Amino acid sequence: MEGEFQSALDDGRPLAFAAGCLIAAWREMPAQEEGQLALASYAFVLGMLLPMATLHLACALGLPHLLLGPGGLYGMLAASSAQNPYLATTCFSAAPALVALWLLLGLSHLRIAWALLEHDWSGVVRFAALAVAASATLAIFTGVLFLKDDGVALQAAALMVELTATYAIAQWHSRLFPSGSSRSVIG
């Protein structure tokens, strides 16, 4: 390959040679199981983990979206306070804790995505446990405050799907690289 590059360099076409190598690698990637694993990992991160992180961070920033409604976090808290005026001060004083939980969920999803692409399975487990704990705390917290948050159950279900898919990717990696080419392998 170095000889081919040298002859392409001598002909004054090193960029064309590099582009040809890149195209050949892209064509070959889906045919190899290691390439399929890489493509599946990136598709999962870009299609599931990053959108969920964005959703959680949007909740934390109080941006309007489908789960919390057009008013965002404070709109949800105001609606709950209108239904039960005795909990108004409690609901609004709980806002920083809710924001912290959503930030924690968003950042843990980003870290899970990073660790998954790095094949750092102990990091995946650590941050997945953090995401599960934050999600459970958020569900309990919104239930105690009588907040109408239908999205918590949806977020919890999505988290279970994410963790199941992450486990499947880890098992696939473990089967492909049994010698332990990564730091540690789940299962």
Side-chain angles (χ1 to χ4, degrees):
M1 178 157 266
E2 286 181 23
E4 291 173 353
F5 177 70
Q6 189 59 40
S7 68
L9 192 60
D10 293 340
D11 291 342
R13 299 179 38 181
L15 187 59
F17 176 76
C21 289
L22 183 63
I23 290 169
W26 277 344
R27 272 194 242 150
E28 189 64 27
M29 192 174 198
Q32 304 295 322
E33 194 168 10
E34 292 88 357
Q36 293 168 1
L37 173 63
L39 290 173
S41 297
Y42 277 97
F44 175 63
V45 165
L46 293 173
M48 184 74 170
L49 290 177
L50 293 183
M52 285 302 292
T54 304
L55 174 75
H56 292 304
L57 293 174
C59 287
L61 296 174
L63 299 175
H65 58 80
L66 294 175
L67 293 179
L68 296 181
L73 172 64
Y74 290 102
M76 179 180 74
L77 293 173
S80 175
S81 299
Q83 291 173 356
N84 192 347
Y86 299 111
L87 291 177
T89 57
T90 305
C91 284
F92 280 105
S93 65
L98 289 170
V99 167
L101 285 169
W102 273 312
L103 275 174
L104 187 63
L105 274 169
L107 294 175
S108 65
H109 274 79
L110 289 175
R111 188 59 182 102
I112 291 169
W114 187 284
L116 185 132
L117 293 178
E118 291 287 321
H119 304 293
D120 175 14
W121 304 117
S122 63
V124 168
V125 169
R126 217 174 24 255
F127 286 100
L130 181 65
V132 168
S135 184
T137 304
L138 184 64
I140 292 168
F141 209 61
T142 56
V144 166
L145 293 173
F146 302 110
L147 297 176
K148 185 183 182 299
D149 188 8
D150 301 329
V152 171
L154 182 61
Q155 290 175 9
L159 182 61
M160 291 304 116
V161 169
E162 289 172 12
L163 295 179
T164 302
T166 302
Y167 181 76
I169 289 173
Q171 290 300 313
W172 189 3
H173 182 267
S174 175
R175 188 175 47 78
L176 278 180
F177 304 104
S179 63
S181 65
S182 64
R183 292 177 210 156
S184 67
V185 179
I186 299 173

